[in-house]
Amino acid sequence: MVGSLGPNSRKHKVTVVGSGNWGTAIAKIVAENAANSNGIFEEKVEMWVYEEKIEIPETSPHYDASSPLCQGEQNLTDVINKLNENIKYLPGVRLPTNLHANPSLEDAVKDSTILVFNLPHQFILRICDQLKGKILPYARGISCIKGVDVNENGIHLFSETIGKRLGIYCGALSGANIANEVAQEKWSETSIAYDPPHLDSKCPTPHRSPNSSTVDIVEFEHKDTSGQISDVKLQPVPNEYPPVDHALLKRLFHRPYFHASVVNDVAGVSLGGALKNIVALAAGWVDGMGWGDNAKAAVMRVGLLEMVKFGEKFFGATIENRTFTEESAGVADLITSCSGGRNFRCARLSIERNLPVEEIEKTELNGQKLQGTLTAIEVNRFLSKQGLENEFPLFTAVYQILQGKMSVADIPHHLEC
Amino acid sequence: MVGSLGPNSRKHKVTVVGSGNWGTAIAKIVAENAANSNGIFEEKVEMWVYEEKIEIPETSPHYDASSPLCQGEQNLTDVINKLNENIKYLPGVRLPTNLHANPSLEDAVKDSTILVFNLPHQFILRICDQLKGKILPYARGISCIKGVDVNENGIHLFSETIGKRLGIYCGALSGANIANEVAQEKWSETSIAYDPPHLDSKCPTPHRSPNSSTVDIVEFEHKDTSGQISDVKLQPVPNEYPPVDHALLKRLFHRPYFHASVVNDVAGVSLGGALKNIVALAAGWVDGMGWGDNAKAAVMRVGLLEMVKFGEKFFGATIENRTFTEESAGVADLITSCSGGRNFRCARLSIERNLPVEEIEKTELNGQKLQGTLTAIEVNRFLSKQGLENEFPLFTAVYQILQGKMSVADIPHHLEC
Ligand SMILES: NC(=O)c1ccc[n+]([C@@H]2O[C@H](COP(=O)([O-])OP(=O)(O)OC[C@H]3O[C@@H](n4cnc5c(N)ncnc54)[C@H](O)[C@@H]3O)[C@@H](O)[C@H]2O)c1
Ligand SMILES: NC(=O)c1ccc[n+]([C@@H]2O[C@H](COP(=O)([O-])OP(=O)(O)OC[C@H]3O[C@@H](n4cnc5c(N)ncnc54)[C@H](O)[C@@H]3O)[C@@H](O)[C@H]2O)c1
């Protein structure tokens, strides 16, 4: 019996890789659930923190001149662990005491079976390289990085990039969520997509038939159903652990104020978070024109349909239309982004002030870049390389307007069919 | 050859029955298209006007003390025909000169092959009774009356009520439209549903298989596919006329500023316009609570799914989910109604002022009634009679809150699953 404990005799250890605004909010949720999991998860949850020095300012409610923590610069991890608050990235929110901030990536992920990736996407490749060989070979991942990586050569899901680099299966979490609101326990919903290959069976399930992409240049990094991710053979989660399935992920992420729905469609959940930003620009322009709520709803509806079409065309059988039209990561995230998101607001201001969006971006965003303009340009390069611009009139209109080649007033005519 | 002219040798005569705010806006569109139809439609379009006396006030831009039109009370029809403006129901909008206001119902519909019904629903039964025997037996109708007639015994589409009473086939038009905006040619979209029985073929098409309603008390007035509407035998449109099909309806209703999509799903198009009002109340409450855009998007998403479920459950095979999730009459109308519609605004105010919605209705709406509260109550009676309240937690929550039996703060918990 040595080395083969009975089923479910071991608990899942969970590590959140990343501790920014969203990383800390998700770590709070996961730790709340782990604290009360009936033996499914280890109570202690690790959160890897990119270590930095901070000083507690005198204006902080935590400032206490006599406390050692307030004598000059401190490690962010020490501050988080002592105050149970990430005063830099999620100030004012009390974190569960079973959440441990860990400056060592290697130590944080040691023996973890569930890795939650939550970092700005520009850091993810380097982190994966550092993680290689340090994680359990049968670990499972969930990427909370929003959107996808589109360039003229293809579309890459961050979850797949992570999975491929680490030789593990990685799903995705995305939805109509703003970190601060979720951290304050304001109600919202999210979508989790998780659909690992069936390691125990050779027969592919119908909804996961291999991607039927119709264009050659799209190099999806898709798993097949035999447990291979590219050249890496996936390892099954040992059966001493509770199975990592939809029900388990719901237990890990669902809270009374954070309703999680778990689905199979990783591509759909990931794509929604990227493409909605293109639509939000159009909605902002239309709103800025003063055309009223119906025109705004029209442009959102057309945008939603182009999202569906984009998914169908480039992810073929692996995508489900209902992810876009019915999931939080689809229609709800689109609605929120077209209500008050950054892309929407900057686009509206660009009409009101009669300035290009890039000018507004410079004056309003403090050096941050608008996701929508980048995505619109990348998606256009991808579509135009294949001669498919005409099939996506709204995405194309947004690009043309950004390039100064079309005016917002022409949108209705451009969409007429 | 007598009595059988060649194909398409006759033009369709179009009559709009009703001339309120929306009736006049739709009549404007139809007349614009008829003026330029390449022989498909008679140029002259009739609009039946419920005659009333009006006086042109001195403050009107049309006031001219020397004009006979400004000497005391005039017939509304005379004023419309002379000024080319419906100064009572659509002031400030110039109407096409080929639109003729007609006070005689019988004369307005004489020889018309296409009847567009556009009246407040409370008048429709009486108008149908007056029309009986006065219309062409092979006329076709389009109902622009929004919503459906729900009561505890069943759900009735206005299009079907009209069709049944008159012994003709009647489709429906509904979308994210506000009459004044459409009349000002602000861009919006609409959905037209039209799916008459195939009179020339006995084989039913799959998407129109008879309604598979699972509950006995629902008495839908559904056509079967053999050309029968209840006891009335439908008559084919003679082939001297261009066929009345989706393409023809698009020609009649589509404008550069009013994009029409034509589909088969009459029940879906009609249902969207009613059920969205229930969701708009919930969205208004959530917004009033200050829970943020994500919570509002969440409640809209849940509402959209309950709309889909309601359609599936009670209209079975005749409904298509995509009508709710992809059509203007579905998701776009929902979005608009949850942005600034009446139900949304009154619900939000009710939280801000801590008063029941009915109080807000009294003080804010000038005697008009909120559609959402009526529909929520009727839908609840219908659902509860069948013991199905639990399957529609949001619709049920809205009803309970209206009854003072639940608080808005409990919505997230109530929707948790
Ligand atoms: N913030 C939100 O509301 C929100 C909501 C949904 C999804 N997301 C997604 O979550 C992801 C993370 O976003 P965020 O808002 O938490 O970002 P953030 O800007 O708050 O995170 C910054 C994080 O990056 C770390 N960092 C800085 N330099 C680093 C380096 N060289 N190497 C590694 N890490 C470094 C910081 O320590 C910090 O933890 C993004 O992909 C975003 O799309 C964010
Ligand atoms: N107004 C909108 O923005 C809008 C948009 C979409 C759909 N609709 C739908 O259009 C339909 C008509 O709405 P509306 O806004 O045009 O209404 P309205 O209140 O403007 O219409 C009033 C009309 O009713 C007529 N009328 C009054 N008494 C009558 C009687 N006894 N018999 C017959 N007619 C009488 C009046 O002459 C006038 O033409 C409704 O079903 C509504 O749901 C309206």
Side-chain angles (χ1 to χ4, degrees), chain B residues 395-411:
Chain B
F395 292 173
T396 303
V398 170
Y399 173 77
Q400 300 272 4
I401 292 166
L402 288 172
Q403 300 296 307
K405 291 183 190 149
M406 191 182 132
S407 86
V408 172
D410 291 333
I411 290 179

Side-chain angles (χ1 to χ4, degrees), chain A residues 176 189 250 294 301 326 417, chain B residues 176 189 250 294 301 326 417:
Chain A
E189 296 185 312
K250 186 144 186 160
N294 290 310
R301 190 198 72 87
E326 301 186 5
C417 59
Chain B
E189 297 184 312
K250 185 143 186 162
N294 291 311
R301 189 197 72 87
E326 301 186 7
C417 59

